[in-house]
Amino acid sequence: MAEFLLEILSEEIPARMQARAADDLRRLVADGLSAGGITFESARALVSPRRLVLAIDGLPQAGPDLSEEKRGPRVGAPAQAMDGFLKSTGLTVEQLEQRDTGKGVFWFAVIERKGRKTADLLKEVVEATMAAFPWPKSQRWGTHSVRWVRPVQSILALFDGEIVPVAFGPIHAGNVSRGHRFLAPETFAVKSFADYAERLRAAKVILDPAERREAILSGALALAQAEGLTLKADDGLLAEVTGLVEWPVPLIGSIDDAFMDVPAEVLITSMRAHQKYFSLLKADGSLAPRFVVVSNMQATDGGAAIVSGNQRVLRARLSDAKFFWDTDRRHRLDSRLPKLAERTFYAGLGSMYDKAHRIDLLAGKIAPRIGADVTQAKRAGRLAKADLSSEMVGEFPELQGVMGRYYARNDGEAAEVAESIAAHYSPVGPSDSCPTAPIAIAVALADKIDTLVGFFAINEKPTGSKDPFALRRAALGVIRLIIENELRVKLGDLLKESWKSYTSHFAGECVLFNKKGSSALRVGIDDVNYDTDYIVISGGEICSEEEVHEHVILSQYINIPSGEKTANELLSFFADRLAVAWKEQGIRHDLINAVFALGGQDDLVLLRKRVEALTAFVSSDDGANLLVAYRRAANIVRIEEKKDGTSFAGPVDPACLSQAEEQALAAALSKVGPTVEAALLAEDFAAAMAALATLRRPLDAFFEQVTVNADQPDLRAARLGLLAAIGTAMGHVADFSRIEG
């Protein structure tokens, strides 16, 4: 068995593209070989800033011989048909066989093909892979027509030690590579992957990304420990730096004391974003005046010159940050609010100033529902977006909210208000922590709900494959804020409150579609152009100029969906998000649907408790058996109601019941109904489920001893009424018809 080694050496590959590129190279070449009938034992792809490498072991010298059988025309068929068959197979009549298929005698061709040489297939597959490689961005270079992420410098392609003549544009493969761009730029020939890896390391290149990552991390940790400090964890930066260096050499540098009064978040962000430096922390968790830089050079002076140069560059960077910090503090945060009017939130949804106003209003409505101070919640909501107009956030957008907190503190705002400004963006993902302070919760909910209501109102909803405005993430944020803080709020009411803050913005506007059917566009009524626009009337129908009568006032054609409609659409959206989130936690999808089907389930904390109780119930023996009996009862009632064209729901006359089993079931139902209602009222869902469980035995006995479709009409109706009552009693807890299994 043989080995194939491929190295594509180029100018620097962006770090963010490297891991995906290695996976794509391995997958595409492996798929190409498999399609050609070539099997192998293993395939491994590695990547460094300048090279993509693929090593495949266990390859045969050639693919297996193939035998293909084709059925041709019937014996005695016209000559034209035979000529076509012979041409397609490349055989003569003497090489064909006659076989009786039971439906006649036909000509058959057995075509033997020798296995294709692996080296030939490798050349074809690698060239096709490089030509169609799925880089997120690629470029041509010079006058060449081929594209790659960066200009290709050389290709090394060896199969069993022999060159595979791969060609890509002006580059032809050989058996030569080269090492580190500066430390060992000389070329060297290789014979195998082991030889290649050994010579590459000697040429100051660590090929394996995992090994480079470990070298960076262990070196940085050692430097920090030597200073009595700790390394600030940053997996994203570690992954990026791993993709920037081929021979990592961690070094430690200092931050000038003059910059240490700038907020730590600013220093960390500036060092990370611009210089790719790792931050170091003191024992108390505060930022230390030190940083770790990972050089791609091995200096003879121990790195002193490299550190000095990086410190000089850092001073310039941090001087800008300090200037922004000092400049921004000269202006109060609330004085920046008018500038928000120059920033569009989204076309049709107003400016960021409008959004800040809406957050103010909604946070004030949420606050009393969750025990937060209304005045402070409104103030925090009003200032939540103000730092977007600051110089610092203009330079470092990732610091929005964080800088608002610092500027609010500088202005003497209440501590709760300042902290809420920083926290209101959270949670931004499943691993992000949720705000727990009431004011911060109110503002965070207001911000996310405002976004959801606005985009749903203008029909910019997520699709199966796209969610450009991160509305799913916003919905999950709302869900987490409510459930993790156990907020007893009606989500539907909050959605409607948010809608109210939009109505003044929508007043006097029309919703238009252009004749090409693009997305809705809101314009002032006076700006309507009938030559190019359609007007969407209330109810969603589109009318053209010909359909608009002169006596109809144009303002009647304003199509702003009602708050009720938008809230209902969003509640369905939240239901889907809840189902996804809870399913990942092991909660069955059908049980979630069974509770949602009751309608009006917008108290998420209560909903969670109900689902958990239902999960425990159907997992018990009584619950599982009752579910089986319920289905039997529901099916009987459904069939008989359809047959009779009537409903059997309603009170049952006890005088019609003669057998002990039906009387026992009636007695059990009379007790269960009030018990379930009382338990639900007390939000004791376990007690409600326990009450339902008492129906199991009388219902089992009923089915064993009682004939439901009795000959006497009154008795039959009474017995069907009992079964209908089972569904009614259980339907107060969940829609059991939606439960599977």
Side-chain angles (χ1 to χ4, degrees), residues 75 139 208 250 328 406 507 632:
V75 173
Q139 66 178 68
D208 189 341
D328 285 343
Y406 280 109
R632 183 178 177 185

Side-chain angles (χ1 to χ4, degrees), residues 263 265-266 269 274 320-321 323-329 333 336 340 343 352 383-407 421-422 424-425:
E265 293 91 341
V266 175
T269 301
H274 293 310
D320 291 341
F323 172 78
F324 295 145
W325 168 243
D326 293 337
T327 301
D328 285 343
R329 285 183 297 164
L333 192 57
R336 299 183 179 279
L340 293 179
R343 291 173 171 266
M352 291 304 299
L383 297 176
K385 306 296 182 182
D387 64 352
L388 296 178
S389 300
S390 68
E391 298 289 340
M392 188 72 80
V393 173
E395 178 70 14
F396 301 111
E398 58 268 48
L399 291 179
Q400 56 189 281
V402 172
M403 297 315 301
R405 173 178 58 194
Y406 280 109
Y407 298 146
I421 293 171
H424 87 277
Y425 289 102

Side-chain angles (χ1 to χ4, degrees), residues 209-224:
E211 188 179 348
R212 291 200 308 278
R213 182 185 189 279
E214 179 57 30
I216 294 167
L217 183 57
S218 60
L221 288 171
L223 290 171

